[in-house]
Amino acid sequence: MTPGPLGNESMSSTFLLSGIPGLEHMHIWISLPLCLMYLVSILGNCTILFIIKTEPSLHEPMYLFLSMLALTDLGLSLCTLPTVLGIFWVGARDIGHDACFTQLFFIHCLSFLESSVLLSMAFDRFVAICRPLHYASILTHTVIGRIGLASLGRSVALIFPLPFMLKRFPYCGSLVLSHSYCLHQEVMKLACADIKANSIYGMFVIVSTVGVDSLLILFSYALILRTVLSIASRAERLKALNTCVSHISAVLLFYTPMIGLSVIHRFGKQAPHLVQVVMGFVYLLFPPVMNPIVYSVKTKQIRDRVTNAFCN
């Protein structure tokens, strides 16, 4: 594919990542809370994984899905950490095309995998509350493994074409990205070519993953709420709903910033650049940081083992 008239613009083999515009002189100080958030995310999710793996009583469907969530969050943190800290520590803004395409593949793949895991956890809560007598027979280890593989397969299959769709474009001019990492919706806008196919496919991926998953999660909770309201005892109703609090928090932590960032990229062209940058950090850092904290605080089995581990 040949680019259109470029005038004096030159082709470039690298993109430029961005920190926080206007605050470059404070990047080293801003890196301190960012480092703390990455540390909390990595240690928190590793702790969850270690506790679930070493405690046989936690080898139940709810905690196996939680371990999938922790593993996904850990992957999200690790795939953005090098470029984010590279910018804020040493000002390393350049990233090659192939490295950028690889990073965005993992970011989007893991993000949509997290959406699938959250849907799986909603199904787990639905079965536990609406079909308690069949819980163990429905959610066997084999079924959980198949759900995990299907979730991973869907994410990889949908995201796999994106790097190749981007690689075929020529890129020219000022190739500055708005974030400290690569995202498909940003990179495609820097192409000196028609990006209509990429835009349509990107929207299809969003709708078929986040859109479908969020609707199914809402439907699951509608059924859960109907079942809970039919319980005669108020104490039993509160007990049933309390088992869903951690999952509902994780859903809100994930979907709210993701939808917000997607809306800003597609429709909020007049939004201040700082809003995009901050929303980008919230989207990728808050769920991995907060999920281990939420589950450690709200889930007694996890809380007790975390307390014992640190007290001993």
Side-chain angles (χ1 to χ4, degrees):
M1 181 180 296
T2 57
L6 302 178
N8 295 324
E9 291 178 326
S10 58
M11 304 296 288
S12 174
S13 60
T14 61
F15 297 112
L16 286 177
L17 301 169
S18 298
I20 298 182
L23 297 176
E24 288 80 4
H25 61 289
M26 296 184 63
H27 273 184
I28 192 64
W29 296 107
I30 296 172
S31 71
L32 297 179
L34 287 176
C35 284
L36 180 61
M37 291 179 75
Y38 274 114
L39 186 63
V40 170
S41 170
I42 293 170
L43 288 179
N45 286 294
C46 285
T47 300
I48 294 290
L49 288 168
F50 176 77
I51 289 173
I52 293 174
K53 178 177 174 56
T54 56
E55 181 54 56
S57 66
L58 297 182
H59 295 176
E60 299 176 0
M62 175 182 174
Y63 301 106
L64 294 177
F65 285 125
L66 176 57
S67 66
M68 293 182 193
L69 183 67
L71 197 59
T72 304
D73 282 337
L74 186 62
L76 272 172
S77 294
L78 292 177
C79 71
T80 58
L81 185 148
T83 54
V84 171
L85 295 189
I87 289 172
F88 285 90
W89 276 353
V90 296
R93 296 181 60 196
D94 288 50
I95 184 170
H97 287 186
D98 289 342
C100 186
F101 300 154
T102 301
Q103 185 184 51
L104 70 84
F105 169 80
F106 281 107
I107 288 175
H108 290 301
C109 188
L110 289 168
S111 293
F112 295 135
L113 178 58
E114 179 148 347
S115 178
S116 298
V117 172
L118 290 172
L119 174 59
S120 302
M121 296 174 84
F123 177 65
D124 168 76
R125 291 299 83 206
F126 164 75
V127 176
I129 293 173
C130 302
R131 301 287 187 273
L133 298 179
H134 302 93
Y135 183 69
S137 61
I138 292 175
L139 286 173
T140 63
H141 285 193
T142 301
V143 169
I144 293 170
R146 287 174 180 172
I147 290 174
L149 288 175
S151 300
L152 179 61
R154 184 186 72 161
S155 299
V156 171
L158 288 172
I159 303 303
F160 188 75
L162 291 184
F164 300 99
M165 294 174 73
L166 292 170
K167 194 175 180 65
R168 65 194 177 96
F169 291 141
Y171 297 91
C172 52
S174 178
L175 303 182
V176 181
L177 299 169
S178 299
H179 301 293
S180 305
Y181 46 83
C182 296
L183 294 175
H184 170 257
Q185 56 265 43
E186 270 216 304
V187 173
M188 71 176 181
K189 293 177 183 177
L190 302 179
C192 306
D194 183 6
I195 61 171
K196 186 176 180 180
N198 280 60
S199 185
I200 292 173
Y201 185 72
M203 182 61 73
F204 164 74
V205 171
I206 289 287
V207 171
S208 61
T209 53
V210 175
V212 171
D213 292 352
S214 58
L215 288 176
L216 290 175
I217 289 173
L218 283 174
F219 180 65
S220 297
Y221 273 101
L223 296 177
I224 288 171
L225 191 59
R226 186 183 68 175
T227 301
V228 168
L229 292 177
S230 68
I231 300 174
S233 168
R234 182 173 181 272
E236 288 297 318
R237 289 200 299 268
L238 291 175
K239 182 179 178 181
L241 288 175
N242 192 52
T243 65
C244 301
V245 170
S246 298
H247 178 252
I248 292 172
S249 301
V251 168
L252 293 175
L253 284 168
F254 176 75
Y255 283 108
T256 303
M258 171 181 263
I259 293 171
L261 187 63
S262 296
V263 169
I264 288 174
H265 275 298
R266 291 187 179 276
F267 308 110
K269 293 182 173 60
Q270 305 305 318
H273 184 57
L274 183 61
V275 173
Q276 293 188 29
V277 174
V278 172
M279 186 62 75
F281 281 121
V282 171
Y283 159 56
L284 279 184
L285 278 178
F286 260 49
V289 168
M290 293 304 299
N291 283 340
I293 296 173
V294 168
Y295 274 94
S296 296
V297 170
K298 295 300 296 180
T299 308
K300 184 179 184 300
Q301 292 86 340
I302 297 290
R303 184 175 66 247
D304 290 345
R305 281 154 184 81
V306 169
T307 303
N308 291 336
F310 283 100
C311 288
N312 294 333

